[in-house]
Amino acid sequence: MSLTLWPVTGVGEVRPGDDLVSLLLERLDEPLRDGDVVVVTSKVVSKALGLSATTDRDAVVDAETVRLVARRGPTRIVRNRAGLTMAAAGVDASNTASGTVLWLPADPDAAAHDLWRRLRRRAGVEVAVVLSDTAGRAWRRGQTDLAIGSAGLKVVDSLSGTQDTFGNALHVTEPAVADEITGAAELVAGKTSQAPFVIVRGLPRHWVGDHWAHPQHGAASLLRPDDEDLFGLGARDAVEVALGSAAPAGFPAPEPDAYDRVLALAAPEEALVEVTVTERSRFVVAVKDDSSGALLEAGRVCERLRIAARAHRVDVQIDVRTADGPGR
Amino acid sequence: MSLTLWPVTGVGEVRPGDDLVSLLLERLDEPLRDGDVVVVTSKVVSKALGLSATTDRDAVVDAETVRLVARRGPTRIVRNRAGLTMAAAGVDASNTASGTVLWLPADPDAAAHDLWRRLRRRAGVEVAVVLSDTAGRAWRRGQTDLAIGSAGLKVVDSLSGTQDTFGNALHVTEPAVADEITGAAELVAGKTSQAPFVIVRGLPRHWVGDHWAHPQHGAASLLRPDDEDLFGLGARDAVEVALGSAAPAGFPAPEPDAYDRVLALAAPEEALVEVTVTERSRFVVAVKDDSSGALLEAGRVCERLRIAARAHRVDVQIDVRTADGPGR
């Protein structure tokens, strides 16, 4: 088995209203075959759909932003409307006319599905269509291309329930093949060569086909749900959110030991303050005497309980009992 | 230009002391050419180097772990000795004999360089060698293969200083080509087919060559340094670290406005407590009266100052002035 990728060149500048399927088919050197994957840069999809304007980039980034994930100086990494975590929400001002800003389709899978449907009808073959875009990663330098939209492809090769050659269960190995395909396509398309389409030939045949065209197999299924996402906030930003008063977003779902963790993190100095739990979520902070030290410590402990609770996404109720009666 | 990838099959089980270069050359269907890239799974490198034992997996994970990045139930994502951020430190118990645990080379670039040097001498061609391993990602489901070691390859195609076809500067576009190559190789190798080598042919010739064999071009250069890493801790874990008392690790480097942010995050209720800054890092928390409410608020504000300072990686000194004199 071998895999071959090549770019479709000579397409020229794409303009609003252009039919990408026609542009692709006119420039193909050889016919598409069943099982081929066509990788399309989201940039030309945005151009064809007219998702561009000569406007202020920051205003477009704001409009595309659902939630701030991390900030560093002027750089903002955000969750955008399509659920992608990207610097500047995926809004792009490169490879387009100066002063023009491009943004991503709000539903990239629908855009991929539309191309897939028309391409299938025109070319009469079972191919898959994948929309690619470039994104940075946590922990690693440089960018890779990712699948932001997909139709007709098994985007994850779930090996759950299968065994390796030694008979060990492969329960957590799920290669994100759609992302590996777009990354591979980037190697041949490059960034400056105006190759908006890359053909990928030789993938396992069962990855490509009509039965994988359904929405549940789109690239959106590669987005990790907020509840499972351990990195929904940057490290520093997570602390800032926990110090805030609004309902926190970006922390993973609560775990069974959440209240125990909250209590452990409050870490009271027992000589001055005692914390007791009356119900799972109700804490009483009892101040042993009316010294300023004991009251300062009680204030510290209350705030730690609140912050830990926000990070663990549980609600807590805190009662303070001072030596001379209930406090605030 | 087209890119072709194919697996080298029939290698069989690799054992400690095996010569991977011989195993590869014996199984090649056609000779390597200048500019080819050989992707090797780190699994067979670990096997050949004898980095395995029939021992407790958790003990090996502990030994490989430099720092906990995020925890969720029994899952631990850690920074390992090679600088990689991976679940279970990259320690692996799949595709190996039951009960056997494999770990990664502590210096995967050195392992790649050793293979590169011997392969070059034996085959007489300018090829690159990339060690791949499988890792999960922030924000996205599924895994992709990454380059954990490399020799003879330009691992990042830095486009800084170049222009796109519209003349816009491409100052932040740096494709991590080594990662895209290993991801592409995974597509043809699969997880259960015992193909420890994949040949990649057709990459730009200037990416492969002797001048890229130097250590500064190894895969370690893809590791984002801690100071630049906005996701050095999981969201919840960042809060737990900030609530701790030890010097924090995993937060990015301080920014110029760090002390201003710390002050803003403390958010005192001014009616009860006033915070003044005497020097950049010295805060005075003045309690307006000796009511328990004011003292609790002062305790709250002091703790917020400390937590915000840890997340912003700055040291602060806090003096509390109570209405009847200096506090603790």
Side-chain angles (χ1 to χ4, degrees), chain B residues 176-216:
Chain B
V177 299
D179 287 335
E180 293 181 326
I181 289 168
T182 52
E186 198 279 324
L187 293 170
V188 299
K191 279 284 165 285
T192 56
S193 60
Q194 284 194 310
F197 307 106
V198 169
I199 313 298
V200 184
R201 180 166 293 169
L203 291 166
R205 183 61 188 88
H206 69 280
W207 287 1
V208 179
D210 188 17
H211 55 297
W212 290 110
H214 303 298
Q216 64 267 34

Side-chain angles (χ1 to χ4, degrees), chain B residues 107-142:
Chain B
D107 186 346
D109 279 330
H113 193 266
D114 181 58
L115 290 174
W116 174 83
R117 189 180 47 77
R118 291 188 291 130
L119 184 57
R120 191 163 173 254
R121 198 175 54 213
R122 297 267 302 274
V125 287
E126 281 294 354
V127 299
V129 171
V130 180
L131 261 57
S132 68
D133 200 18
T134 305
R137 299 88 54 80
W139 317 318
R140 293 178 79 74
R141 281 180 160 161

Side-chain angles (χ1 to χ4, degrees), chain A residues 194-207:
Chain A
Q194 285 193 311
F197 307 106
V198 169
I199 312 300
V200 184
R201 180 167 292 170
L203 290 166
R205 183 62 189 87
H206 69 278
W207 288 2

Side-chain angles (χ1 to χ4, degrees), chain B residues 40-298:
Chain B
V40 187
T41 66
S42 58
K43 190 180 295 283
V44 294
V45 175
S46 293
K47 286 181 177 178
L49 292 174
L51 305 179
S52 67
T54 53
T55 183
D56 179 51
R57 184 164 175 272
D58 285 340
V60 179
V61 173
D62 287 345
E64 293 295 305
T65 295
V66 172
R67 182 168 70 70
L68 180 70
V69 170
R71 177 193 68 82
R72 184 181 172 93
T75 301
R76 284 183 295 162
I77 297 168
V78 307
R79 192 70 46 98
N80 73 7
R81 290 193 298 152
L84 298 157
T85 303
M86 288 180 157
V91 174
D92 195 359
S94 70
N95 279 302
T96 189
S98 183
T100 302
V101 175
L102 284 172
W103 56 93
L104 296 175
D107 186 346
D109 279 330
H113 193 266
D114 181 58
L115 290 174
W116 174 83
R117 189 180 47 77
R118 291 188 291 130
L119 184 57
R120 191 163 173 254
R121 198 175 54 213
R122 297 267 302 274
V125 287
E126 281 294 354
V127 299
V129 171
V130 180
L131 261 57
S132 68
D133 200 18
T134 305
R137 299 88 54 80
W139 317 318
R140 293 178 79 74
R141 281 180 160 161
Q143 297 93 38
T144 58
D145 273 20
L146 297 176
I148 70 162
S150 177
L153 182 75
K154 189 176 183 179
V155 295
V156 171
D157 185 24
S158 176
L159 302 175
S160 294
T162 64
Q163 292 183 337
D164 66 19
T165 47
F166 290 86
N168 302 308
L170 286 172
H171 50 281
V172 292
T173 308
E174 299 196 325
V177 299
D179 287 335
E180 293 181 326
I181 289 168
T182 52
E186 198 279 324
L187 293 170
V188 299
K191 279 284 165 285
T192 56
S193 60
Q194 284 194 310
F197 307 106
V198 169
I199 313 298
V200 184
R201 180 166 293 169
L203 291 166
R205 183 61 188 88
H206 69 280
W207 287 1
V208 179
D210 188 17
H211 55 297
W212 290 110
H214 303 298
Q216 64 267 34
H217 299 297
S221 66
L222 286 169
L223 301 172
R224 204 183 279 277
D226 264 2
D227 268 6
E228 297 172 13
D229 187 358
L230 303 185
F231 300 92
L233 291 165
R236 180 182 291 156
D237 309 271
V239 176
E240 298 207 355
V241 169
L243 285 167
S245 55
F251 292 104
E255 293 192 270
D257 64 350
Y259 289 105
D260 296 337
R261 298 285 296 179
V262 169
L263 179 60
L265 289 165
E269 286 187 18
E270 285 196 29
L272 297 170
V273 165
E274 189 176 27
V275 181
T276 50
V277 182
T278 57
E279 294 166 36
R280 245 160 56 105
S281 64
R282 295 179 72 101
F283 298 88
V284 175
V285 176
V287 192
K288 296 268 184 81
D289 59 53
D290 59 0
S291 68
S292 59
L295 287 161
L296 288 166
E297 172 66 8

Side-chain angles (χ1 to χ4, degrees), chain A residues 102-118:
Chain A
L102 284 172
W103 56 93
L104 296 174
D107 186 346
D109 279 330
H113 193 266
D114 182 60
L115 289 173
W116 174 85
R117 188 180 48 77
R118 292 190 289 131

